[in-house]
Amino acid sequence: MNPPSAENIYLPRVAVLDRVEDNIPDVKTFYWRFENPADQRAFRGFHPGQFVQVTIAGVGEFPASLPPSPTEDQIFFTIRQVGGCTAALHRLRPGDKIAVRGPYGNGFPMEQYQGKNLVFVAGGIGLIPLRSCIVYAIAHRSNYGRIAIFHGAKTPKELMYRDVLAACQQTPGVECHLTVDRGDNGWEGNVGVVSSLFKKPGVAMPVENTVAFVCGPPVMFRFVIRDLLAMGLTERDIISTLERYMKCGVGKCGHCCIGVAYICVDGPVFTYEQIKRLGEDI
Amino acid sequence: MKARILDSVDVLKIVDLLSEQGYEVVAPFHREGQDSYFDVVTPANRHAVRIHLPNPLYPPKRFIFPHIERLMTFRQVNGDLQIQATHEEPRRAIFGIRSCDLAGIGHLDRYFLGREFRDTYYEKRRRHALLINVVCSDPQRDVGDDCFCVCADTGPAAREHFDLQLMDLGRGEFMAVAGSPAGQALFQSPIFRKAKPAHVERRRAILAEVRKRFKTHTSWFSAAVRYLSQDKVTERTWEEIGNRCMECGGCTYVCPACTCFTVSDRPIGDGQTERVRIWDSCALAGFTRMAGGFNPRRAVHDRRNRRFFRKLAHYFVQRELSMACVGCGRCVTVCHGNIGMPSVVEMLRRTTAGVQEHEPAIR
Ligand SMILES: Cc1cc2nc3c(=O)[nH]c(=O)nc-3n(C[C@H](O)[C@H](O)[C@H](O)COP(=O)(O)OP(=O)(O)OC[C@H]3O[C@@H](n4cnc5c(N)ncnc54)[C@H](O)[C@@H]3O)c2cc1C
Ligand code: SF4
Ligand code: FES
């Protein structure tokens, strides 16, 4: 047995909502901080790709990715309203209290990827967990080679984090491409699935010495993987996050267990090689 | 491990000793037939505690990992949120726990207290729990039709995890073996006397006899562990197993080695809510459902597959130092589809043996 610990792994700490921002329909970003400054300081060491367990008192607890990079000052999450907890969160206002525990999970191995080109492919709210890596990579710009970001959504209104992506585009050696399934009146950009961007004229997609971060709905994932493999990336160069029903986040409740992995502690970040070995659908 | 001898008529005095030391003692009771159960010992029922009886269907696991357990409460007052962790650290002794169930607790220890995080609530209940093991020494009364601890290497006599082990040696005598300082401290009572070599010899003879008297079930795990870990089990076999599962979840609720739970928040009046954890079952359809209705383990056979894979895969056996099956046979008793552990092991073994593969080529 490990030595006894004082820490209660299930006990969340109280946090205050500072600001709520509308993103796309049904999706809002919630800026928050722990009520106790010591909790806030302890939390700063999180890694891109980790997640937290969020409590809405009286309703329940759910897992949420951490879209901020540890290099940023503010902490927040971006949440789509789908059911009980997320709808309750959407009803909260600045000043309201929530409770948070974490950070949990392995996160993306950003340090291991130093010296590599980075490709980010995000469909819809798949950009939420990747935002952290993108901002982190740009904050450590000199550690990485070229950076190419591809983001697709159903309609222009559903493109995520437009301000962050616009800022990326101003950074030397970083390119950012957007696409939508259906345009609207003002849309002059690409129309088509996200992988249709890879071979467009004017797009310089790195392939050698490259890691591709891919997050999005299962259909998108399958097509993007197929194209990336065809372009010459290996299964080990493709990395993603698995979202599974989670109840505890700390490897005890058993809900997230697939194959030989507990997604909450062994993941949620896995290479495509590992995902295939787990023998599950994305 | 130190051994002592006591008279059969004094065995229940151990229950009294523990009560005097401030333990809440739970012990097995017998109604009739197969109807037996664990309950808290009181002055009123103390005389009815049984040593030889069918092992209760509802395992004593719940005294350390309760079916429903409150984790914390939430109270919102004037815009403030107060969270109160609710621990219980009972000083509790489980008297009469069988070797299989003890191995189950050993498994739970490694699971809940191992890896990155230690389960706070389990730890608190476990820390003060005293485990008094009773060896199944009577093939008639102790060993059930569905027992197969011999195959799981957990019984009939546990080798670890107990504080005190009791075994009926016949002729009005019991042997007590101390497995921890707390267990050994009990030997200060005058009911215990020194053991002689003849006692050890009798213990050995009885165990050798009991091992031979196990009933219908055998479970040849090692072939199943190997086929399953090497991904050699055919889809058809899994489907066959899945087709027999009625998704009642019974096997998981009676299993001394199952650990899954769900978490739920509910109002308790006075503007407060509580968060509880409740045993959950991977056999139930909602277990893995996610936002958008996407369920990565949709087919029944995928879920069955999950239970047996999780219990037997070499990867987990290596990590937890044991299979997550202790051979208690309870899932055999409760399963209407006859896919308790031994029959699944048999199905995996038979259908996967791939006869030709193992036959010598004569050319
Ligand atoms: C590691 C991880 C990171 C995540 N990050 C984000 C994020 O950054 N932003 C975001 O909007 N969503 C994220 N999710 C999904 C989010 O956790 C679920 O949408 C949320 O739990 C739904 O809770 P609810 O009470 O609102 O829905 P419920 O009323 O409980 O149910 C609505 C639907 O959501 C499903 N669901 C319920 N609980 C979970 C759960 N714990 N995990 C997955 N599905 C669930 C239900 O089966 C049902 O289909 C993440 C999930 C995981 C596992
Ligand atoms: S799987 Fe069946 S036989 Fe094995 S410990 Fe669990 S209930 Fe007992
Ligand atoms: S979420 Fe509970 S074990 Fe992973």
Side-chain angles (χ1 to χ4, degrees):
Chain A
M1 288 188 211
N2 299 334
S5 61
E7 187 102 17
N8 181 335
I9 58 171
Y10 299 107
L11 193 66
R13 308 295 162 99
V14 178
V16 192
L17 287 184
D18 280 332
R19 192 149 61 82
V20 181
E21 208 176 76
D22 285 324
N23 299 108
I24 63 169
D26 286 336
V27 179
K28 291 182 185 179
T29 292
F30 301 84
Y31 294 81
W32 54 273
R33 73 195 135 77
F34 284 107
E35 205 167 43
N36 180 344
D39 292 336
Q40 187 77 1
R41 278 193 300 276
F43 191 80
R44 297 275 1 157
F46 69 89
H47 301 294
Q50 287 194 298
F51 67 96
V52 287
Q53 290 282 113
V54 185
T55 291
I56 312 299
V59 187
E61 193 178 42
F62 68 97
S65 311
L66 283 168
S69 156
T71 54
E72 291 176 280
D73 290 330
Q74 287 178 306
I75 302 182
F76 53 90
F77 32 65
T78 301
I79 304 295
R80 187 165 60 126
Q81 177 174 338
V82 297
C85 292
T86 49
L89 176 63
H90 272 243
R91 285 192 295 271
L92 297 185
R93 295 182 204 293
D96 286 343
K97 305 283 167 69
I98 57 172
V100 180
R101 61 192 174 96
Y104 295 129
N106 56 355
F108 289 96
M110 297 307 288
E111 283 172 14
Q112 190 189 316
Y113 291 159
Q114 286 187 9
K116 289 187 182 279
N117 302 312
L118 308 180
V119 169
F120 296 95
V121 187
I125 59 168
L127 192 56
I128 295 173
L130 292 189
R131 183 194 179 283
S132 179
C133 310
I134 293 171
V135 174
Y136 180 92
I138 288 177
H140 299 92
R141 183 69 199 92
S142 57
N143 289 347
Y144 301 97
R146 281 166 46 219
I147 297 177
I149 303 165
F150 301 92
H151 176 42
K154 286 202 193 96
T155 64
K157 319 204 277 301
E158 286 162 276
L159 289 163
M160 294 288 302
Y161 301 128
R162 297 286 293 266
D163 52 335
V164 176
L165 297 185
C168 290
Q169 218 144 11
Q170 307 307 313
T171 315
V174 181
E175 51 183 284
C176 177
H177 306 281
L178 303 178
T179 185
V180 294
D181 295 343
R182 271 174 286 116
D184 59 15
N185 290 338
W187 182 250
E188 289 171 0
N190 192 69
V191 176
V193 296
V194 70
S195 48
S196 69
L197 290 168
F198 298 167
K199 295 206 171 138
K200 280 247 150 175
V203 174
M205 163 111 163
V207 175
E208 296 290 314
N209 187 33
T210 297
V211 191
F213 297 65
V214 185
C215 284
V219 200
M220 180 215 93
F221 189 82
R222 279 195 283 277
F223 283 109
V224 168
I225 297 288
R226 197 191 57 193
D227 291 349
L228 292 175
L229 293 175
M231 291 168 83
L233 272 83
T234 69
E235 290 175 351
R236 195 174 299 179
D237 300 329
I238 300 171
I239 193 158
S240 183
T241 68
L242 286 183
E243 271 195 20
R244 281 296 178 270
Y245 192 70
M246 288 185 180
K247 277 297 175 187
C248 74
V250 289
K252 304 298 181 199
C253 74
H255 279 86
C256 71
C257 178
I258 65 172
V260 296
Y262 278 64
I263 304 301
C264 64
V265 286
D266 299 318
V269 175
F270 294 96
T271 64
Y272 182 56
E273 189 184 36
Q274 292 170 320
I275 292 174
K276 267 183 58 180
R277 221 181 297 137
L278 291 174
E280 285 259 332
D281 286 344
I282 186 73
Chain B
M1 286 192 275
K2 274 216 170 78
R4 290 284 183 273
I5 297 299
L6 71 162
D7 291 331
S8 305
V9 290
D10 286 341
V11 166
L12 292 189
K13 286 192 182 151
I14 296 172
V15 172
D16 305 333
L17 276 174
L18 295 171
S19 302
E20 281 158 26
Q21 289 181 9
Y23 283 99
E24 176 189 82
V25 185
V26 295
F29 296 90
H30 192 192
R31 284 202 187 90
E32 57 195 30
Q34 294 303 303
D35 187 0
S36 61
Y37 57 98
F38 276 92
D39 203 354
V40 177
V41 179
T42 64
N45 66 11
R46 145 76 171 75
H47 67 280
V49 173
R50 286 287 170 274
I51 298 289
H52 296 292
L53 74 171
N55 198 15
L57 191 58
Y58 196 16
K61 167 177 95 175
R62 69 183 184 281
F63 298 111
I64 297 176
F65 175 42
H67 196 148
I68 299 184
E69 180 172 34
R70 179 190 275 184
L71 302 179
M72 62 196 74
T73 59
F74 299 91
R75 180 203 286 274
Q76 284 171 289
V77 268
N78 308 328
D80 250 352
L81 173 59
Q82 293 160 2
I83 311 174
Q84 187 68 47
T86 49
H87 292 296
E88 276 183 49
E89 292 187 64
R91 206 171 137 79
R92 183 180 282 146
I94 307 180
F95 180 91
I97 183 170
R98 300 297 178 89
S99 300
C100 53
D101 291 337
L102 198 60
I105 288 178
H107 181 81
L108 262 53
D109 285 351
R110 291 186 295 271
Y111 179 74
F112 280 123
L113 306 179
R115 286 211 78 181
E116 290 84 343
F117 299 98
R118 293 173 68 79
D119 190 290
T120 319
Y121 295 84
Y122 182 86
E123 181 172 27
K124 286 190 189 291
R125 285 181 192 275
R126 179 71 176 92
R127 194 185 302 154
H128 302 293
L130 198 77
L131 304 174
I132 314 290
N133 172 222
V134 166
V135 174
C136 296
S137 56
D138 182 330
Q140 244 69 57
R141 291 178 294 168
D142 299 340
V143 181
D145 287 346
D146 299 328
C147 292
F148 58 102
C149 63
V150 187
C151 304
D153 190 29
T154 59
R159 290 184 295 264
E160 52 184 349
H161 303 306
F162 54 82
D163 292 283
L164 192 74
Q165 179 174 68
L166 299 172
M167 179 169 157
D168 193 342
L169 297 183
R171 303 181 210 161
E173 286 181 319
F174 268 67
M175 179 180 272
V177 178
S180 73
Q184 193 164 325
L186 293 168
F187 289 166
Q188 283 164 8
S189 159
I191 61 173
F192 296 100
R193 58 178 178 274
K194 286 236 153 70
K196 302 207 175 84
H199 289 121
V200 179
E201 195 42 54
R202 242 153 79 203
R203 178 181 194 273
R204 198 176 294 145
I206 294 170
L207 285 177
E209 179 60 20
V210 179
R211 279 200 191 93
K212 275 187 257 162
R213 302 274 297 272
F214 270 75
K215 299 175 186 169
T216 43
H217 290 287
T218 44
S219 192
W220 284 319
F221 282 115
S222 65
V225 167
R226 191 153 56 85
Y227 297 145
L228 181 135
S229 306
Q230 294 174 345
D231 202 15
K232 290 213 171 129
V233 181
T234 59
E235 198 55 22
R236 230 183 69 91
T237 308
W238 285 128
E239 261 172 55
E240 239 174 276
I241 298 170
N243 287 343
R244 292 193 187 183
C245 176
M246 298 176 199
E247 301 191 60
C248 68
C251 55
T252 52
Y253 295 118
V254 296
C255 182
C258 271
T259 50
C260 290
F261 62 84
T262 186
V263 178
S264 174
D265 289 19
R266 55 194 192 186
I268 47 172
D270 202 17
Q272 291 191 65
T273 47
E274 64 172 0
R275 174 164 297 166
V276 293
R277 69 166 164 201
I278 309 169
W279 291 355
D280 203 352
S281 170
C282 58
L284 304 177
F287 194 69
T288 54
R289 190 170 2 93
M290 306 200 308
F294 171 58
N295 190 342
R297 282 186 226 154
R298 208 168 2 233
V300 187
H301 64 267
D302 277 5
R303 286 195 292 281
R304 295 292 70 218
N305 171 333
R306 178 98 297 271
R307 171 167 157 88
F308 298 107
F309 186 83
R310 177 66 187 80
K311 285 190 175 297
L312 301 179
H314 181 249
Y315 174 87
F316 289 115
V317 175
Q318 204 176 20
R319 202 171 79 187
E320 282 144 11
L321 307 175
S322 59
M323 299 178 298
C325 173
V326 297
C328 71
R330 291 183 175 95
C331 55
V332 182
T333 313
V334 299
C335 184
H336 342 271
N338 189 21
I339 43 165
M341 185 57 88
S343 51
V344 167
V345 162
E346 189 54 23
M347 285 166 89
L348 298 183
R349 204 174 70 83
R350 280 243 181 98
T351 58
T352 315
V355 180
Q356 298 92 344
E357 211 183 292
H358 303 287
E359 278 173 356
I362 30 181
R363 226 158 47 89

